[in-house]
Amino acid sequence: MRTLCLLLILANALFFIWSQLIDAQVNALDRISPPSAAPPARIVLAREVVRENVEEDAPAQVSEVMPPTVEPLEQPPQTENAPVASCTSIGPFPDLPQAAEVQSTLRAKGHESRQRVEQGEWWVGYWVSVPNLDTRAAAQAAIEKLRNN
């Protein structure tokens, strides 16, 4: 490792000597500047567009461009007490009788409901958090105590 470090230091020193003494030095004023980019095209408004069929010698005529008129869409008449439609998903339910019971309760309250079936995992259990344990061994002991009880 020591040899590798000394070789890298020697390589850096040799490169520094080569770049200062042997490499051709170019004065900053003698350097050729990179070509500058062409300026972007000028943004032109639609009303400033010159008609192409106008002669070159004639003065440019600016035409007024108007967008086409569009009729607005008809809105349905709104009443003040019109119900606002919304969609809410309730569940999941572990079995079909529970889902049917909830659906009948919703219909009794005046809501339209629809059942749908989806594939998924049903996890039954508890998440337990035991904060403020000093060590990992104390945490493992608390887990074992919870499992045994």
Side-chain angles (χ1 to χ4, degrees):
M1 190 64 166
R2 180 178 169 189
T3 308
L4 177 65
C5 184
L6 290 174
L7 282 174
L8 289 175
I9 292 172
L10 179 65
N12 281 333
L14 290 175
F15 177 76
F16 177 75
I17 293 170
W18 173 81
S19 67
Q20 295 299 317
L21 299 177
I22 300 172
D23 191 25
Q25 298 291 327
V26 177
N27 189 356
L29 297 175
D30 294 337
R31 288 189 186 132
I32 298 172
S33 61
S36 61
R42 183 177 167 287
I43 297 176
V44 179
L45 295 175
R47 64 179 167 190
E48 294 177 340
V49 175
V50 178
R51 295 184 187 169
E52 292 183 20
N53 57 2
V54 177
E55 297 176 13
E56 290 182 20
D57 295 338
Q61 295 179 1
V62 176
S63 62
E64 195 67 32
V65 177
M66 298 299 293
T69 58
V70 177
E71 294 294 323
L73 297 175
E74 291 184 25
Q75 296 290 332
Q78 295 287 332
T79 60
E80 292 182 19
N81 295 330
V84 177
S86 66
C87 181
T88 302
S89 180
I90 301 173
F93 299 103
D95 52 4
L96 198 56
Q98 278 187 337
E101 182 182 342
V102 171
Q103 187 176 19
S104 65
T105 305
L106 287 172
R107 283 191 181 146
K109 301 265 184 185
H111 299 285
E112 183 181 339
S113 64
R114 185 176 11 171
Q115 287 184 6
R116 61 187 161 99
V117 178
E118 290 187 6
Q119 294 289 344
E121 294 182 16
W122 189 268
W123 182 77
V124 178
Y126 298 98
W127 285 96
V128 178
S129 174
V130 184
N132 300 329
L133 294 175
D134 295 330
T135 62
R136 184 168 182 82
Q140 292 293 338
I143 290 172
E144 285 303 316
K145 185 176 179 182
L146 286 171
R147 283 187 183 147
N148 293 336
N149 292 329

